[in-house]
């Protein structure tokens, strides 16, 4: 599986607001059933932290998935 492999549930992206943030999403099936587990990470590429955009991005993505 490559770093970016949507067929196997792994996507990597870069979010641009003012600075670059790396976003990684991994989706795996649970016991080969109809449910899936979603793991997300959003991390500032520059500096040691942020003031909330990465956590907000993950909450928004999870909320969008819950609506789908």
């Amino acid at each position: 599986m490559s770093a970016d492999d949507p067929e196997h549930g792994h996507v990597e992206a870069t979010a641009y607001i003012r600075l670059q943030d790396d976003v990684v999403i991994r989706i795996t099936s649970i016991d080969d059933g109809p449910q899936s587990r979603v793991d997300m990470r959003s991390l500032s590429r520059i500096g040691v932290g942020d003031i909330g955009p990465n956590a907000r991005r993950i909450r928004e993505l999870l909320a969008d998935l819950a609506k789908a």
Side-chain angles (χ1 to χ4, degrees), residues 59-68:
R59 282 192 302 271
E60 290 172 357
L61 287 168
L62 288 173
D64 289 345
L65 281 175
K67 293 176 190 174

Side-chain angles (χ1 to χ4, degrees), residues 1-2 9 13-14 16 18 21 25 28-29 37-39 41 44-46 48 50 52 58-59 64:
M1 178 169 66
S2 68
T14 302
Y16 295 93
R18 283 178 287 191
D21 295 335
I25 301 171
T28 53
S29 64
R37 175 182 172 160
V38 178
D39 295 303
R41 178 185 62 163
S44 177
R45 191 178 285 187
I46 300 172
V48 294
D50 66 12
I58 288 174
R59 282 192 302 271
D64 289 345

